[in-house]
């Protein structure tokens, strides 16, 4: 059995505002007893994180099983991505047409996957990139595109929970409000 994660990504936190927003949200999560304030060895990819609190079940859709691991708050520019696999397509913010990177049988479609791969690397390096839609021929900010299965999210603040049941929409809405009415998206996957 692999390790499953969900990353709640704040799409509106800025490079300079992410640390404050992250601290404010963590404070709220601790007050609500969704996670604990102390740090233990309970996450992958970081030395320590915050283990589940007494009232973790409030945050999830179906509290069928108790989360086994904790929360790692990530600040700083980052391309957040689902674990295994890739996005099969992205949806243009202007014309809503899908640009495909792979065929039905996961054969890469060279031109599109190369162009978007370059845009993703550029955003990772600078925090800015545009991608051109082959359909309407307009360029849009990479962050405005939507991705197959919400595979990608580009931002400066993410809350990565390891081995938790799926989050409830109401919890996500409450967290978004605490962040300052920011937009959030959940990127999830398995390692
Ligand atoms: Zn388009």
């Amino acid at each position: 059995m692999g390790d499953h994660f969900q990353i709640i990504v704040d799409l509106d936190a800025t490079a300079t505002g992410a640390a404050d927003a992250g601290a404010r949200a963590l404070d709220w999560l601790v007050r609500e007893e969704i996670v604990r304030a102390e740090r233990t060895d309970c996450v992958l990819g970081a030395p320590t994180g915050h283990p589940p609190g007494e009232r973790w079940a409030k945050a999830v859709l179906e509290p069928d099983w108790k989360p086994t691991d904790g929360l790692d708050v990530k600040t700083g520019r980052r391309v957040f991505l689902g674990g295994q696999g890739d996005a099969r397509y992205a949806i243009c913010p202007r014309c809503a047409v899908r640009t495909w990177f792979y065929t039905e049988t996961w054969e890469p479609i060279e031109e599109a996957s190369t162009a978007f791969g370059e845009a993703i690397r550029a955003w990772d390096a600078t925090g800015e990139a545009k991608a051109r839609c082959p359909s309407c021929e307009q360029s849009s900010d990479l962050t405005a595109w939507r991705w197959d299965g919400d595979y990608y999210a580009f931002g400066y603040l993410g809350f990565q929970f390891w081995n938790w049941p799926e989050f409830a929409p109401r919890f996500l809405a409450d967290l978004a409000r605490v962040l300052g009415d920011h937009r959030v998206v959940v990127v999830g996957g398995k390692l």
Side-chain angles (χ1 to χ4, degrees), residues 92 94-97 133 135-138 145:
C92 174
R94 294 177 193 263
C95 72
V97 168
C133 172
S135 184
C136 68
E137 304 189 332
Q138 300 289 308
W145 289 73

Side-chain angles (χ1 to χ4, degrees), residues 36-64:
R36 301 215 307 261
E38 69 264 33
R39 305 183 68 102
T40 65
D41 176 12
C42 66
V43 296
L44 280 78
T48 61
H50 299 276
E54 286 298 315
R55 305 185 69 195
W56 62 268
K58 281 197 302 192
V60 305
L61 210 49
E62 301 275 354
D64 295 341

Side-chain angles (χ1 to χ4, degrees), residues 1 10 17 20 23 25 44 64 79 136 139 155 157-158 180 184-186 191:
M1 196 182 105
D10 181 330
D20 277 355
L44 280 78
D64 295 341
V79 176
C136 68
S139 289
L157 175 60
V184 298
V185 67
V186 179
L191 277 196

Side-chain angles (χ1 to χ4, degrees), residues 22-169:
R24 195 165 63 239
L26 179 60
D27 189 54
W28 178 77
L29 289 165
V30 167
R31 265 198 334 265
E32 293 285 313
E33 299 181 67
I34 291 165
V35 299
R36 301 215 307 261
E38 69 264 33
R39 305 183 68 102
T40 65
D41 176 12
C42 66
V43 296
L44 280 78
T48 61
H50 299 276
E54 286 298 315
R55 305 185 69 195
W56 62 268
K58 281 197 302 192
V60 305
L61 210 49
E62 301 275 354
D64 295 341
W65 47 280
K66 191 176 188 299
T68 50
D69 294 297
L71 162 66
D72 178 20
V73 181
K74 294 185 175 300
T75 52
R77 184 171 65 239
R78 196 177 293 257
V79 176
F80 294 96
L81 68 170
Q84 298 160 350
D86 201 348
R88 210 187 282 266
Y89 59 82
I91 301 172
C92 174
R94 294 177 193 263
C95 72
V97 168
R98 293 175 179 187
T99 296
W100 291 83
F101 311 128
Y102 296 94
T103 65
E104 291 296 328
T105 53
W106 286 99
E107 295 295 325
I109 298 168
E110 287 296 337
E111 199 173 326
S113 57
T114 302
F116 277 73
E118 281 170 7
I120 289 167
R121 280 192 296 279
W123 191 90
D124 197 25
T126 65
E128 280 181 41
K130 285 183 186 289
R132 183 174 169 278
C133 172
S135 184
C136 68
E137 304 189 332
Q138 300 289 308
S139 289
S140 304
D141 280 339
L142 189 65
T143 55
W145 289 73
R146 287 187 296 129
W147 305 84
D148 174 23
D150 289 328
Y151 188 84
Y152 288 103
F154 303 90
Y156 292 85
L157 175 60
F159 302 87
Q160 184 162 26
F161 290 80
W162 287 95
N163 296 312
W164 280 54
E166 190 180 343
F167 289 119

